[in-house]
mmCIF file of all heavy atoms in Angstrom:
data_model
loop_
_atom_site.group_PDB
_atom_site.id
_atom_site.type_symbol
_atom_site.label_atom_id
_atom_site.label_comp_id
_atom_site.label_asym_id
_atom_site.label_seq_id
_atom_site.Cartn_x
_atom_site.Cartn_y
_atom_site.Cartn_z
ATOM 1 N N ARG A 300 98.499 107.942 74.055
ATOM 2 C CA ARG A 300 98.989 106.797 74.826
ATOM 3 C C ARG A 300 99.002 105.552 73.947
ATOM 4 O O ARG A 300 98.109 105.371 73.096
ATOM 5 C CB ARG A 300 98.054 106.583 76.016
ATOM 6 C CG ARG A 300 98.415 105.467 76.983
ATOM 7 C CD ARG A 300 99.514 105.832 77.884
ATOM 8 N NE ARG A 300 99.654 104.950 79.033
ATOM 9 C CZ ARG A 300 100.761 104.867 79.746
ATOM 10 N NH1 ARG A 300 101.842 105.590 79.443
ATOM 11 N NH2 ARG A 300 100.828 104.069 80.791
ATOM 12 N N GLY A 590 108.342 102.162 86.445
ATOM 13 C CA GLY A 590 108.532 103.020 85.264
ATOM 14 C C GLY A 590 110.002 103.251 85.003
ATOM 15 O O GLY A 590 110.859 102.640 85.623
ATOM 16 N N GLY A 591 110.297 104.118 84.085
ATOM 17 C CA GLY A 591 111.716 104.391 83.824
ATOM 18 C C GLY A 591 111.993 105.264 82.634
ATOM 19 O O GLY A 591 112.758 106.209 82.736
ATOM 20 N N GLY A 592 111.385 104.995 81.496
ATOM 21 C CA GLY A 592 111.780 105.694 80.281
ATOM 22 C C GLY A 592 110.800 106.774 79.884
ATOM 23 O O GLY A 592 109.907 106.532 79.074
ATOM 24 N N THR A 593 110.971 107.951 80.451
ATOM 25 C CA THR A 593 110.005 109.024 80.196
ATOM 26 C C THR A 593 110.697 110.374 80.202
ATOM 27 O O THR A 593 111.766 110.522 80.796
ATOM 28 C CB THR A 593 108.888 108.963 81.268
ATOM 29 O OG1 THR A 593 108.261 107.684 81.174
ATOM 30 C CG2 THR A 593 107.831 110.027 81.096
ATOM 31 N N SER A 611 106.818 108.913 76.646
ATOM 32 C CA SER A 611 107.428 107.744 77.289
ATOM 33 C C SER A 611 107.618 106.576 76.313
ATOM 34 O O SER A 611 106.834 106.410 75.374
ATOM 35 C CB SER A 611 106.484 107.288 78.418
ATOM 36 O OG SER A 611 106.937 106.133 79.046
ATOM 37 N N GLU A 613 108.607 103.773 78.278
ATOM 38 C CA GLU A 613 108.580 102.880 79.437
ATOM 39 C C GLU A 613 109.959 102.216 79.649
ATOM 40 O O GLU A 613 110.787 102.112 78.773
ATOM 41 C CB GLU A 613 107.518 101.801 79.288
ATOM 42 C CG GLU A 613 106.562 101.609 80.441
ATOM 43 C CD GLU A 613 107.116 101.663 81.844
ATOM 44 O OE1 GLU A 613 107.522 100.622 82.388
ATOM 45 O OE2 GLU A 613 107.116 102.755 82.432
ATOM 46 N N GLN A 630 105.017 99.665 76.911
ATOM 47 C CA GLN A 630 104.027 100.320 77.767
ATOM 48 C C GLN A 630 102.956 99.353 78.281
ATOM 49 O O GLN A 630 102.307 99.627 79.278
ATOM 50 C CB GLN A 630 103.386 101.471 76.997
ATOM 51 C CG GLN A 630 103.005 102.666 77.847
ATOM 52 C CD GLN A 630 104.183 103.456 78.389
ATOM 53 O OE1 GLN A 630 104.349 103.531 79.602
ATOM 54 N NE2 GLN A 630 105.004 104.021 77.529
ATOM 55 N N ASP A 633 102.551 98.487 81.835
ATOM 56 C CA ASP A 633 101.871 99.390 82.779
ATOM 57 C C ASP A 633 100.465 98.902 83.127
ATOM 58 O O ASP A 633 99.811 99.471 83.993
ATOM 59 C CB ASP A 633 101.784 100.819 82.207
ATOM 60 C CG ASP A 633 102.994 101.667 82.596
ATOM 61 O OD1 ASP A 633 103.887 101.138 83.289
ATOM 62 O OD2 ASP A 633 103.071 102.837 82.197
ATOM 63 N N SER A 657 98.461 105.243 83.333
ATOM 64 C CA SER A 657 99.718 105.996 83.344
ATOM 65 C C SER A 657 99.789 106.839 84.603
ATOM 66 O O SER A 657 98.778 107.050 85.284
ATOM 67 C CB SER A 657 99.740 106.902 82.116
ATOM 68 O OG SER A 657 100.842 107.778 82.172
ATOM 69 N N SER A 658 100.974 107.316 84.887
ATOM 70 C CA SER A 658 101.135 108.306 85.966
ATOM 71 C C SER A 658 101.503 109.664 85.389
ATOM 72 O O SER A 658 101.678 110.627 86.138
ATOM 73 C CB SER A 658 102.242 107.871 86.922
ATOM 74 O OG SER A 658 101.930 106.641 87.497
ATOM 75 N N MET A 659 101.665 109.734 84.083
ATOM 76 C CA MET A 659 102.142 110.982 83.472
ATOM 77 C C MET A 659 101.106 112.091 83.675
ATOM 78 O O MET A 659 99.913 111.877 83.463
ATOM 79 C CB MET A 659 102.417 110.769 81.989
ATOM 80 C CG MET A 659 103.457 109.678 81.731
ATOM 81 S SD MET A 659 104.072 109.617 80.046
ATOM 82 C CE MET A 659 102.630 109.192 79.113
ATOM 83 N N PRO A 677 109.066 113.118 84.492
ATOM 84 C CA PRO A 677 109.018 111.655 84.448
ATOM 85 C C PRO A 677 109.130 111.134 85.876
ATOM 86 O O PRO A 677 109.221 111.937 86.814
ATOM 87 C CB PRO A 677 110.275 111.297 83.644
ATOM 88 C CG PRO A 677 111.209 112.427 83.864
ATOM 89 C CD PRO A 677 110.373 113.656 84.136
ATOM 90 N N GLY A 678 109.146 109.811 86.036
ATOM 91 C CA GLY A 678 109.324 109.249 87.380
ATOM 92 C C GLY A 678 108.347 108.147 87.723
ATOM 93 O O GLY A 678 108.196 107.797 88.884
ATOM 94 N N GLY A 679 107.663 107.610 86.711
ATOM 95 C CA GLY A 679 106.753 106.489 86.957
ATOM 96 C C GLY A 679 105.694 106.874 87.974
ATOM 97 O O GLY A 679 105.170 107.993 87.955
ATOM 98 N N ILE A 682 105.468 110.354 89.717
ATOM 99 C CA ILE A 682 105.305 111.617 88.981
ATOM 100 C C ILE A 682 104.437 112.631 89.752
ATOM 101 O O ILE A 682 104.872 113.760 89.994
ATOM 102 C CB ILE A 682 104.758 111.363 87.555
ATOM 103 C CG1 ILE A 682 105.848 110.720 86.690
ATOM 104 C CG2 ILE A 682 104.262 112.663 86.910
ATOM 105 C CD1 ILE A 682 105.383 110.263 85.306
HETATM 106 N N1 LIG N 1685 105.260 104.589 81.732
HETATM 107 C C1 LIG N 1685 105.033 105.367 82.893
HETATM 108 C C2 LIG N 1685 103.647 106.001 82.866
HETATM 109 O O1 LIG N 1685 103.088 106.205 81.861
HETATM 110 C C3 LIG N 1685 106.005 106.477 83.061
HETATM 111 C C4 LIG N 1685 107.354 105.998 83.414
HETATM 112 C C5 LIG N 1685 108.272 107.062 83.943
HETATM 113 O O2 LIG N 1685 107.909 108.168 84.107
HETATM 114 O O3 LIG N 1685 109.397 106.793 84.256
HETATM 115 O O4 LIG N 1685 103.131 106.319 83.883
#
Side-chain angles (χ1 to χ4, degrees):
R300 182 77 165 161
T593 300
S611 177
E613 231 319 270
Q630 214 70 242
D633 270 1
S657 172
S658 300
M659 301 192 296
I682 288 173

